[in-house]
Amino acid sequence: MSENSDGGGGSQISALDDLLAGGVAGSASVIVGHPFDTIKVRLQTSSANGNSGKTPSSTAGGFKSLFKGMSPPLATAAICNAIIFASYGHSTRLWDEIVEHKSSQQQNEEIHGTMTEGAVLIEHGEHGTHEQTRTWKQQGNNNNNDNEVWIKVKSNQEEAIGTSQLSEDALNASSTRQNYLKVFTCGALAGTVQAFVICPVEHIKCRLQIQATSGAKQLYKGPIDACVSIIKNHGIFRGLYRGMGVTLWRETPAFGMYFAVYDTIKGRVESLLEEKDDDHPIPSHAHAWAASALAGGISGASTWGIIYPFDVIKSRMQTSPLERHLQKGMWTVGSDIIRNHGVKHMFRGLGVTLVRAFPVNAIIFPVYEFVLMQIGNWRSR
């Protein structure tokens, strides 16, 4: 993705470009989406018999309280987005170097692989079609007779007689499947890497968000105080990284699906926009931004709809007491939620999450691409 873009300036994108563009895009998405995220966390962690019919902001300190806990994700937005873009770009390059190169070699071996003698060649010539049964060798072991190359052996030399190529539709279908697999796998790897950064950030954010609704004494003065206190009293792995397992379950498939859906929708939207160019000419970069916004919004919302139960479990784990004897595993927490509140509770807050997901994801890629374009223009001056 990012490795193929030039930011409008014709230069290769560097890691620093990813850092700057990803940081600005991530910061913009945090500002847009954090109030919705606060409402979501409060809905996820409130009791089933609580004030579910009321707007959370009306009972939790007003509008300003919706921005509680925004500093951690805002401060780390640049790092998180840089990790996502850099990891995805590096993964796709590795895929091209290793997987696709190996696939090309295997295909070449299949075409130039097993040879069987005595095959019958149906030869097309000027005098019509006829069979020859002299000594022949068939290259290729494809049972569907695709990509066959017939060879005539003469004086220890192999002379190619004719070939039959795979149909264009078959090649396109194979290329599409390979691209889906590539995008999903590389996206999943980027999500896995990013989980190690986002887990402690979201842990602190969740505790500060819930603290704003509590009438008890405030445990933490801010994100730094919360981080220091959690590490001091409960350690890094058992404390700060609480919920890491469920975070991996959420981030890994989520980013795989996200990038796959995004890539598919963006390509189709760009094609539709280009078809209308003749009647209503539009600048090419406007096409890309419009396609990115729509694809990002749809892919973000659809992905959340699938992995949302893992987010509910994560919020419960990261807002429950930190004492060791009260810590439970992901599946135990999920079972407790279903047993005590029903399956519906696993989707509590999904509505506001979907409302949040569209604008948050719709703004990331257009802003990212816009910043890259500005960087490219600046360098070309």
Side-chain angles (χ1 to χ4, degrees):
M1 187 175 63
S2 61
E3 72 278 11
N4 298 325
S5 176
D6 61 7
S11 60
Q12 186 70 20
I13 293 180
S14 66
L16 180 59
D17 296 338
D18 271 331
L19 177 64
L20 294 174
V24 174
S27 299
S29 68
V30 170
I31 294 172
V32 170
H34 191 78
F36 296 99
D37 187 70
T38 299
I39 296 173
K40 178 204 72 173
V41 171
R42 291 175 183 175
L43 286 171
Q44 288 176 340
T45 56
S46 62
S47 63
N49 298 322
N51 298 325
S52 58
K54 298 181 181 180
T55 304
S57 60
S58 65
T59 58
F63 180 75
K64 288 184 179 180
S65 70
L66 295 178
F67 291 90
K68 289 288 186 179
M70 189 174 73
S71 334
L74 190 60
T76 56
I79 298 175
C80 291
N81 280 270
I83 286 174
I84 291 172
F85 283 109
S87 298
Y88 182 83
H90 185 66
S91 302
T92 54
R93 286 189 290 271
L94 283 179
W95 182 283
D96 292 338
E97 293 175 4
I98 300 175
V99 178
E100 291 190 359
H101 178 68
K102 183 178 180 180
S103 176
S104 178
Q105 284 184 326
Q106 289 177 343
Q107 186 178 21
N108 189 55
E109 289 175 359
E110 288 179 359
I111 295 176
H112 302 285
T114 306
M115 294 185 178
T116 56
E117 296 189 5
V120 176
L121 171 68
I122 300 179
E123 192 175 46
H124 300 273
E126 295 180 358
H127 303 289
T129 302
H130 59 278
E131 294 183 356
Q132 295 187 15
T133 56
R134 288 176 293 175
T135 303
W136 303 92
K137 288 185 178 182
Q138 177 188 5
Q139 280 187 306
N141 49 13
N142 193 320
N143 294 329
N144 295 324
N145 294 324
D146 292 329
N147 273 338
E148 290 179 351
V149 180
W150 291 88
I151 304 296
K152 178 171 67 177
V153 178
K154 183 179 180 180
S155 301
N156 296 323
Q157 294 181 351
E158 296 181 348
E159 178 184 349
I161 301 297
T163 63
S164 62
Q165 300 296 328
L166 283 170
S167 67
E168 185 176 350
D169 290 341
L171 287 172
N172 289 337
S174 176
S175 177
T176 300
R177 288 193 297 269
Q178 186 79 351
N179 184 64
Y180 285 156
L181 180 61
K182 171 185 174 181
V183 173
F184 180 88
T185 303
C186 295
L189 287 173
T192 300
V193 174
Q194 197 238 185
F196 286 90
V197 176
I198 204 68
C199 178
V201 172
E202 290 196 342
H203 184 192
I204 295 173
K205 172 184 68 68
C206 286
R207 293 204 175 272
L208 292 175
Q209 286 172 326
I210 291 300
Q211 180 175 266
T213 68
S214 175
K217 181 181 179 181
Q218 303 297 288
L219 295 176
Y220 312 113
K221 298 177 181 179
I224 296 179
D225 180 57
C227 180
V228 172
S229 177
I230 291 173
I231 294 176
K232 180 179 179 180
N233 296 317
H234 306 285
I236 295 178
F237 298 105
R238 288 183 174 271
L240 191 63
Y241 272 86
R242 184 171 193 180
M244 182 62 195
V246 70
T247 302
L248 284 170
W249 274 90
R250 186 193 68 175
E251 297 294 297
T252 301
F255 273 94
M257 291 184 289
Y258 175 78
F259 278 104
V261 174
Y262 172 83
D263 190 69
T264 302
I265 295 178
K266 183 182 179 182
R268 293 181 180 179
V269 171
E270 285 181 333
S271 298
L272 291 174
L273 291 175
E274 288 173 1
E275 290 176 1
K276 297 181 179 181
D277 254 359
D278 294 335
D279 298 328
H280 302 87
I282 303 175
S284 58
H285 60 265
H287 276 164
W289 293 342
S292 294
L294 184 60
I298 294 175
S299 60
S302 60
T303 300
W304 268 112
I306 296 174
I307 55 93
Y308 189 77
F310 291 108
D311 190 65
V312 175
I313 296 173
K314 183 193 72 67
S315 294
R316 272 300 177 94
M317 294 181 69
Q318 292 184 335
T319 56
S320 60
L322 281 164
E323 285 73 14
R324 290 188 178 182
H325 67 280
L326 293 177
Q327 291 186 7
K328 297 180 180 179
M330 176 180 69
W331 303 113
T332 302
V333 172
S335 299
D336 290 345
I337 293 174
I338 295 175
R339 183 174 60 254
N340 297 327
H341 307 295
V343 177
K344 290 184 178 181
H345 198 85
M346 296 294 287
F347 296 91
R348 193 173 189 183
L350 177 60
V352 70
T353 299
L354 296 180
V355 171
R356 167 188 178 270
F358 194 94
V360 166
N361 290 279
I363 200 173
I364 288 178
F365 286 102
V367 171
Y368 171 79
E369 292 168 2
F370 175 78
V371 175
L372 287 181
M373 186 180 72
Q374 298 305 312
I375 294 174
N377 292 338
W378 177 76
R379 285 178 177 170
S380 62
R381 291 177 183 176

